[in-house]
């Protein structure tokens, strides 16, 4: 492992930014996302990933306040929402208080963080050698896999299921946030 990096600290810093946004949106909208079925959350992640890919290809954007970094942060938050929805199902209203939503957010991030650390150990931080655009493509592939599993009513022969795919999407998005934040910091110096 490269001793110049502290993946856990970088992960926690990236996730803290995402959690701040999630918490602010809870104050603005409550848990309105509870109405979304998991498949709708998957489609929302697809929209965000498609937009990231479009911006990567075009090299510019027309919506000035939403860039690639924002898209990756949205994928993290929608991924957590998807995991919560998988466990609790969807609701007909805003039935989850903010403190419970934040506790579930923290629990799911911690589970996803543990998965990242385990994979990071086995793959020896291979994500650091990858391009940010590869994270986008891998997220899109995980979305397609998830949609296929959803369309098959959750029945799989060999794959881990939708929750594992959501966790991978979150981790790839966090890697994107880490790399883009490091790039921004280098440009400021």
């Amino acid at each position: 492992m490269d001793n110049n990096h502290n993946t856990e600290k970088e992960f926690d810093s990236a996730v803290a930014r995402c959690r701040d946004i999630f918490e602010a949106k809870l104050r603005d909208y409550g848990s309105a996302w509870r109405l979304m079925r998991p498949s709708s959350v998957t489609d929302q992640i697809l929209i965000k990933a498609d937009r990231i890919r479009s911006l990567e290809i075009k090299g510019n954007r027309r919506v000035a306040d939403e860039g690639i970094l924002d898209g990756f942060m949205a994928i993290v938050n929608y991924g957590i929402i998807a995991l919560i929805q998988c466990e609790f199902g969807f609701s007909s209203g805003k039935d989850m208080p903010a403190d419970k939503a934040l506790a579930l957010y923290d629990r799911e991030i911690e589970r996803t963080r543990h998965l990242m650390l385990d994979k990071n150990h086995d793959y020896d931080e291979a994500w650091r050698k990858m391009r940010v655009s590869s994270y986008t493509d891998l997220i899109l592939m995980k979305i397609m896999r998830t949609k296929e599993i959803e369309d098959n009513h959750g029945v799989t022969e060999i794959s881990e299921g939708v929750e594992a795919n959501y966790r991978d999407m979150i981790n790839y998005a966090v890697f994107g946030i880490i790399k883009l934040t490091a790039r921004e910091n280098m440009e400021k110096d």
Side-chain angles (χ1 to χ4, degrees), residues 82-157:
L83 290 167
I84 293 169
Q85 296 298 77
C86 284
E87 180 177 350
F88 291 96
F90 63 95
S91 174
S92 60
K94 299 186 299 183
D95 66 344
M96 188 175 288
D99 60 337
K100 181 175 181 178
L102 288 169
L104 291 169
Y105 186 101
D106 294 341
R107 182 192 73 183
E108 293 304 329
I109 277 294
E110 191 57 28
R111 289 176 177 172
T112 304
R113 182 180 186 271
H114 282 297
L115 175 67
M116 180 277 298
L117 290 172
D118 290 345
K119 287 187 174 186
N120 206 35
H121 172 271
D122 291 356
Y123 287 94
D124 203 22
E125 297 214 331
W127 67 271
R128 292 195 184 274
K129 301 172 192 165
M130 297 170 63
R131 297 175 184 96
V132 173
S133 60
S134 294
Y135 306 142
T136 307
D137 291 349
L138 287 164
I139 291 168
L140 286 164
M141 179 192 66
K142 295 288 183 177
I143 293 167
M144 292 301 116
R145 289 179 176 183
T146 301
K147 288 172 66 88
E148 194 68 30
I149 294 168
E150 289 169 344
D151 291 347
N152 289 327
H153 308 287
V155 177
T156 62
E157 288 185 32

Side-chain angles (χ1 to χ4, degrees), residues 147-178:
K147 288 172 66 88
E148 194 68 30
I149 294 168
E150 289 169 344
D151 291 347
N152 289 327
H153 308 287
V155 177
T156 62
E157 288 185 32
I158 194 167
S159 71
E160 299 171 286
V162 295
E163 290 89 352
N165 283 295
Y166 288 132
R167 290 193 198 288
D168 286 345
M169 290 178 223
I170 293 166
N171 281 328
Y172 286 127
V174 170
F175 294 155
I177 295 166
I178 291 169

